Amino acid sequence: CEAPPNRRAHCEAPLNRRDVVVVRAHRPTPAAVARMQDWERSCLSRGIGFVVSVDATMDREGHVSRHLRQAVGEIHEYTQDQMLEISPGLVECIDKMGIGFAVPGDKGDKSLAWGFHGEALALWYRSLPEDGRPDFVWVLEDDV
């Protein structure tokens, strides 16, 4: 699709195309959860799938996942151990980063998902049946 200079082109997506917005989360604030709810409503009203992919490695009590399940429709929960199952080479990074590693000002509760986004997203994608996989995936972080 083309547009004149300085004008945005309006292109229609094919009717059979399936888009999904994935929001990666770790420990979202109430404001972040509210944004997710707004994004979900907006996406679903346009026929776009919406899922929150949450790193539950450090959420041993399950508080974050329970809170998100009450707030949004579709949750994909995963842990660092699951990431290591599909990407065993990451084990070398644990010593370098350390489980529970911290950056200045942080609480020291990061998993490998903090630095390896693609592998975390691969867990979600691989969890889908092949005939249910989207054509396009848009990825956001919960702190945008």
Side-chain angles (χ1 to χ4, degrees):
C1 78
E2 296 181 26
N6 301 324
R7 304 283 315 248
R8 284 178 41 182
H10 176 73
C11 303
E12 293 293 324
L15 293 177
N16 61 345
R17 184 175 112 174
R18 181 166 181 257
D19 291 5
V20 174
V21 171
V22 177
V23 178
R24 294 190 66 238
H26 170 63
R27 194 180 50 232
T29 65
V33 172
R35 283 191 302 272
M36 288 180 209
Q37 290 173 314
D38 287 344
W39 296 337
E40 180 182 45
R41 277 190 294 276
S42 180
C43 287
L44 296 180
S45 72
R46 291 165 175 79
I48 298 169
F50 185 86
V51 61
V52 176
S53 181
V54 60
D55 176 11
T57 304
M58 302 297 176
D59 186 24
R60 292 171 183 35
E61 304 290 320
H63 298 299
V64 172
S65 297
R66 274 194 302 278
H67 179 66
L68 284 171
R69 276 193 201 91
Q70 294 170 355
V72 297
E74 188 175 342
I75 303 293
H76 174 257
E77 186 177 341
Y78 66 91
T79 65
Q80 176 173 281
D81 288 341
Q82 291 171 306
M83 290 177 62
L84 290 169
E85 285 177 23
I86 68 163
S87 301
L90 292 179
V91 75
E92 295 176 25
C93 299
I94 292 174
D95 290 335
K96 291 180 174 57
M97 296 168 73
I99 293 178
F101 70 94
V103 295
D106 253 350
K107 296 179 182 173
D109 60 353
K110 300 281 191 275
S111 77
L112 287 174
W114 189 73
F116 295 91
H117 301 212
E119 291 79 359
L121 288 167
L123 283 169
W124 164 74
Y125 190 80
R126 289 179 176 197
S127 75
L128 303 172
E130 282 192 38
D131 62 350
R133 291 180 176 164
D135 298 305
F136 294 90
V137 178
W138 304 91
V139 181
L140 301 172
E141 296 285 330
D142 71 354
D143 58 355
V144 296

